[in-house]
């Protein structure tokens, strides 16, 4: 996909999302603009500024770093929205995902990578199918991923922290 076409896809995705969810935060716009290119949506300061992106201190982050979990889910399940996402997937750095991330029983056709993000509630990937999942350096309430199917990796490293249970029970 050419860069002009990807920029157009990002603009279309922003408009589609605005129609469904109303006004968008800066982080939500960054996510939607980056999704068609497969690039990182850098919601926090530079990746080099680790202390400013520490999700343990997310309560001090501004509203500009908030992404509603419902928007992330919608991009992963809506046929029109998900066809605009690059095969490299959705990649987000330094965001506060507000609300439960519920992708249970969803077939996501692209990888999902969250780096140094704070998820305010549980992340539910029960019986989901996704090429790869990264929650590198993230802080979450709990992770429910029983029967998660991936063709790639699941990364829970570099400071990943769950305040509740982490369940990755496989198929019986």
């Amino acid at each position: 996909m050419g860069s002009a076409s990807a920029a157009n896809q990002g603009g279309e995705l922003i408009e589609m999302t605005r129609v469904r969810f109303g006004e968008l935060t800066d982080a939500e716009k960054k996510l939607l603009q980056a999704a068609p290119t497969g690039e990182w949506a850098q919601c926090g300061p530079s990746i080099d500024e680790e202390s400013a992106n520490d999700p343990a201190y997310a309560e001090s982050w501004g509203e500009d770093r908030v992404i509603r979990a419902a928007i992330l889910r919608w991009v992963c399940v809506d046929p029109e929205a998900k066809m605009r996402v690059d095969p490299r997937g959705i990649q987000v750095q330094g965001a506060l995902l507000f609300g439960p991330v519920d992708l249970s029983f969803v077939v996501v056709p692209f990888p999902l990578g969250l780096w140094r993000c704070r998820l305010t509630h549980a992340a539910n990937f029960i019986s989901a199918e996704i090429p790869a999942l990264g929650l590198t350096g993230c802080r979450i309430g709990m992770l429910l991923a029983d029967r998660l199917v991936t063709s790639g990796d699941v990364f829970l490293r570099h400071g990943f922290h769950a305040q509740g249970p982490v369940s990755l029970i496989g198929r019986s």
Side-chain angles (χ1 to χ4, degrees), residues 80-122:
E80 290 295 314
K82 71 182 177 182
M83 71 178 247
R84 288 174 166 76
V85 177
D86 186 88
R88 288 178 286 185
I90 292 177
Q91 302 180 72
V92 178
Q93 176 268 331
L96 177 76
L97 276 88
F98 184 78
V101 174
D102 186 356
L103 293 173
S104 59
F105 300 95
V106 174
V107 176
V108 182
F110 45 78
L112 175 61
L114 304 176
W115 187 76
R116 298 186 67 82
C117 292
R118 172 70 170 105
L119 287 69
T120 62
H121 293 75

Side-chain angles (χ1 to χ4, degrees), residues 3-170:
S3 62
S5 177
N8 186 41
Q9 292 280 327
E12 290 175 6
L13 196 51
I14 287 172
E15 278 311 305
M16 290 170 57
T17 309
R18 211 179 254 139
V19 166
R20 179 156 176 107
F21 293 94
E23 283 305 307
L24 304 173
T25 67
D26 289 347
E28 290 167 344
K29 291 175 193 170
K30 288 176 182 178
L31 166 96
L32 298 165
Q33 195 66 46
T37 66
E39 299 297 322
W40 281 93
Q42 187 170 317
C43 301
S46 166
I47 290 175
D48 297 329
E49 297 180 48
E50 274 197 43
S51 62
N53 291 312
D54 187 341
Y57 304 105
E59 67 277 353
S60 67
W61 295 353
E63 291 291 317
D64 58 324
R65 291 175 75 166
V66 173
I67 295 174
R68 289 169 278 179
I71 289 177
L72 178 63
R73 176 181 166 75
W74 177 77
V75 171
C76 292
V77 300
D78 182 84
E80 290 295 314
K82 71 182 177 182
M83 71 178 247
R84 288 174 166 76
V85 177
D86 186 88
R88 288 178 286 185
I90 292 177
Q91 302 180 72
V92 178
Q93 176 268 331
L96 177 76
L97 276 88
F98 184 78
V101 174
D102 186 356
L103 293 173
S104 59
F105 300 95
V106 174
V107 176
V108 182
F110 45 78
L112 175 61
L114 304 176
W115 187 76
R116 298 186 67 82
C117 292
R118 172 70 170 105
L119 287 69
T120 62
H121 293 75
N124 185 346
F125 295 95
I126 291 174
S127 295
E129 293 182 33
I130 187 167
L133 175 65
L135 298 173
T136 302
C138 290
R139 290 182 74 87
I140 67 172
M142 73 173 82
L143 176 62
L144 306 172
D146 297 348
R147 296 173 308 282
L148 170 68
V149 176
T150 66
S151 55
D153 297 312
V154 175
F155 291 115
L156 310 175
R157 59 185 182 177
H158 299 301
F160 169 84
H161 177 81
Q163 293 171 305
V166 172
S167 183
L168 296 160
I169 298 170

